[in-house]
Amino acid sequence: MTHRVHNFNPGPAALPLPVLEQVQAEMLDFRGTGMSILEISHRSKAFEEVLGDAITRLKRLLRINDEFHVLFIQGGASLQFAMVPMNLALPGKKVSYIDTGYWSSRAIKEARQLGKAVEIPASSQDKDYTYIPTGFSLDPDTSYLHITSNNTIKGTQWKEFPKAEAPLVSDMSSDFLSRPFDVRPFGLIYAGAQKNLGPAGCAVVLIRQDMLSRVPKDLPTMLKYTTYTENNSLYNTPPCFVIYVIDLMLKWLEETIGGLENMARINEEKARMIYDVIDRTGFFRGTAQKESRSLMNITFRLASEDLEKKFLDEAKKNGLEGLKGHRSVGGCRASIYNAVSLESVRALVSFMEDFEKRFG
Ligand code: PMP
C-alpha cells in the first residue's frame, strides 16, 4: 500500500485521498480525450465543463446566485492584496483594514504602497495578535472594510463577521468553505487555493456585481476584475490543472461530506478534540485567546523550545507531518483544514497524550 502520513501542513496542505485517486485514475486519458488534463486546451469542451462545474458547485455550496461572480486568478492571495485596493478603492475615499496579524499587515502594506488612505479601525497588535478585536467604529467615508477571516499564523478566527455600512472584503485563504456563512454583506472574498481548496497556483475570488462599477478603466488588463468577469476567467490561459483539482474538491465537499453545514460540524469536532488536550493540564499552552481560537490552525507551545523540538521530531517519526509553527513565531501548529480527516486528528491527539505522559 502507498505510504501516506497524517498531514498537518499549513498550505500547500492535505487533499482528500479520493480526490488524489481520481486525479491519478484520470491522468492518462482525461474523460475520453486520450490526453491528460495537463495537455488539453483551456478552450476545449472538456475543460470548459470542468470550469463550469466548479463555478456551479461553489455557488451551490454557498447558496449564491448570479449576483456574485466566481473568478480564478493566478498570483495567489498575495496578488489580491494589491488588486483589491486597485479595483475597489473609491476616488477620494479611504480604505479600512482590521489588523489581525501577519497577512492583514501585508494587505495593508500593499494598499499603502498604492497610495491609498488606509484607516485601521482596530488592531490586535497590542496583545501580539492573540485575539480578534470587536466593538470598533468605522469611518463612514470608506470604500470597504477588509478583514482576514482566519489568521493562519496566530491561530485566530472571526466567529461572526463585523457589521459595517461599507462592503466587507475578506481574505478567507485559510478558512474558505470550512463553514457556511452569509455571503451577501461581502463585496469581495478571496482565497489562495492551496489550503482548503486544492493545489497552489490560483486564488478563488467572489465578487459582487455592484463592485464592478468601481473598477478603474486604466488598470492593466490582467489586474482588472472586469477582465475576468467578462471572459469567465478565460481571457488568457488559466491554471487548468488547479481548477480541475478544485472542482474535484468541491465535488467531494458536496457529495461525500454533504455540504458546508456537515463540514463545519466535522471541523468543530476536530478542533475540539485538540483544544481539549491543550486545555486539560497546561502541559500544552494554546497561544490564542479562547474566544478567538481558530478551528483551522491550532497554535500551541510547550514548556521550552527544546521540548518543542523533541515533540516535532517524535511527531515526524510517528507519521505526523507539518506541525511546526510559522517561522515568524515558532512553537507548534496543527493545520486541520477540510481535508484533514478525523482519523488524522485522532492520531495527533493520542500522540499528544502519550508525549505528555512521558514528559509532563
Ligand atoms: N492570506 C492568508 C490568510 C494566508 O494564510 C496566506 C498564505 N499562507 C496568504 C494570504 C498568502 O497566500 P499566497 O501564498 O497564496 O499569496
Side-chain angles (χ1 to χ4, degrees):
M1 220 177 96
T2 315
H3 166 68
R4 301 274 301 162
V5 296
H6 296 292
N7 183 351
F8 299 96
N9 276 330
L15 291 168
L17 192 56
V19 166
L20 295 173
E21 284 169 344
Q22 187 168 346
V23 172
Q24 187 178 41
E26 294 184 323
M27 183 50 81
L28 298 186
D29 176 10
F30 182 68
R31 301 178 192 175
T33 59
M35 296 173 275
S36 76
I37 179 79
L38 298 165
E39 301 166 298
I40 63 174
S41 167
H42 59 294
R43 310 262 174 223
S44 64
K45 189 165 170 291
F47 180 71
E48 288 211 355
E49 273 175 20
V50 169
L51 180 65
D53 194 58
I55 294 169
T56 307
R57 286 187 186 280
L58 190 54
K59 285 186 164 181
R60 206 158 47 214
L61 278 161
L62 285 167
R63 303 199 170 97
I64 52 179
N65 55 27
D66 290 342
E67 196 189 352
F68 282 86
H69 299 265
V70 177
L71 313 176
F72 297 92
I73 304 181
Q74 299 191 50
S78 297
L79 182 63
Q80 296 309 307
F81 294 161
M83 278 181 75
V84 165
M86 281 174 137
N87 282 267
L88 302 189
L90 292 163
K93 287 204 177 193
K94 296 181 175 141
V95 292
S96 305
Y97 285 74
I98 309 288
D99 176 21
T100 51
Y102 189 91
W103 298 110
S104 310
S105 308
R106 281 213 176 169
I108 292 166
K109 183 176 151 226
E110 288 297 304
R112 288 212 170 109
Q113 202 151 301
L114 288 159
K116 308 299 176 195
V118 178
E119 180 211 27
I120 309 211
S123 165
S124 51
Q125 192 181 14
D126 58 339
K127 294 197 177 117
D128 196 22
Y129 296 120
T130 53
Y131 70 105
I132 298 292
T134 48
F136 47 84
S137 62
L138 190 64
D139 190 321
D141 202 30
T142 195
S143 312
Y144 57 79
L145 174 64
H146 181 285
I147 61 167
T148 310
S149 58
N150 183 73
N151 298 281
T152 325
I153 296 176
K154 290 290 185 177
T156 61
Q157 185 178 27
W158 290 80
K159 303 290 162 208
E160 270 178 43
F161 297 121
K163 305 232 175 330
E165 289 299 313
L168 292 176
V169 171
S170 184
D171 174 359
M172 292 200 183
S173 293
S174 48
D175 68 352
F176 190 52
L177 303 185
S178 67
R179 55 182 172 176
F181 67 99
D182 181 9
V183 180
R184 285 168 302 174
F186 292 88
L188 188 141
I189 291 165
Y190 60 95
Q194 68 275 17
K195 295 165 195 295
N196 249 344
L197 291 174
C202 85
V204 172
V205 175
L206 297 186
I207 186 166
R208 207 171 63 199
Q209 176 65 27
D210 61 318
M211 294 292 110
L212 296 177
S213 61
R214 297 184 178 201
V215 176
K217 300 271 174 295
D218 56 355
L219 289 179
T221 309
M222 289 302 287
L223 299 179
K224 281 198 273 205
Y225 288 121
T226 43
T227 300
Y228 298 84
T229 56
E230 286 163 9
N231 296 283
N232 195 26
S233 301
L234 287 169
Y235 174 77
N236 73 333
T237 320
C240 299
F241 182 74
V242 179
I243 295 170
Y244 158 63
V245 182
I246 290 175
D247 183 39
L248 296 183
M249 278 289 279
L250 296 170
K251 180 168 175 263
W252 171 82
L253 203 45
E254 278 199 300
E255 295 175 10
T256 306
I257 299 297
L260 297 185
E261 283 78 10
N262 285 1
M263 193 70 256
R265 260 194 300 280
I266 297 169
N267 285 331
E268 278 163 26
E269 168 75 2
K270 291 187 305 192
R272 189 191 53 73
M273 284 162 66
I274 302 174
Y275 284 123
D276 276 357
V277 180
I278 289 175
D279 290 337
R280 211 164 290 151
T281 61
F283 176 76
F284 298 101
R285 185 170 48 80
T287 62
Q289 293 188 13
K290 277 191 184 171
E291 61 289 355
S292 299
R293 280 172 164 177
S294 168
L295 301 186
M296 294 279 103
N297 308 97
I298 300 187
T299 50
F300 55 96
R301 311 247 18 174
L302 280 80
S304 69
E305 286 187 12
D306 281 349
L307 199 57
E308 284 168 352
K309 185 170 179 315
K310 196 163 187 53
F311 176 80
L312 294 170
D313 287 347
E314 285 206 15
K316 210 175 171 61
K317 282 190 197 122
N318 282 275
L320 304 161
E321 282 282 343
L323 291 165
K324 199 172 184 336
H326 189 264
R327 60 188 190 283
S328 65
V329 294
C332 305
R333 168 177 59 177
S335 297
I336 48 170
Y337 302 123
N338 286 353
V340 176
S341 64
L342 271 165
E343 183 206 347
S344 286
V345 171
R346 277 190 210 107
L348 172 61
V349 163
S350 72
F351 172 73
M352 287 170 81
E353 287 170 342
D354 177 65
F355 192 85
E356 178 170 352
K357 252 185 229 132
R358 287 184 292 122
F359 295 97

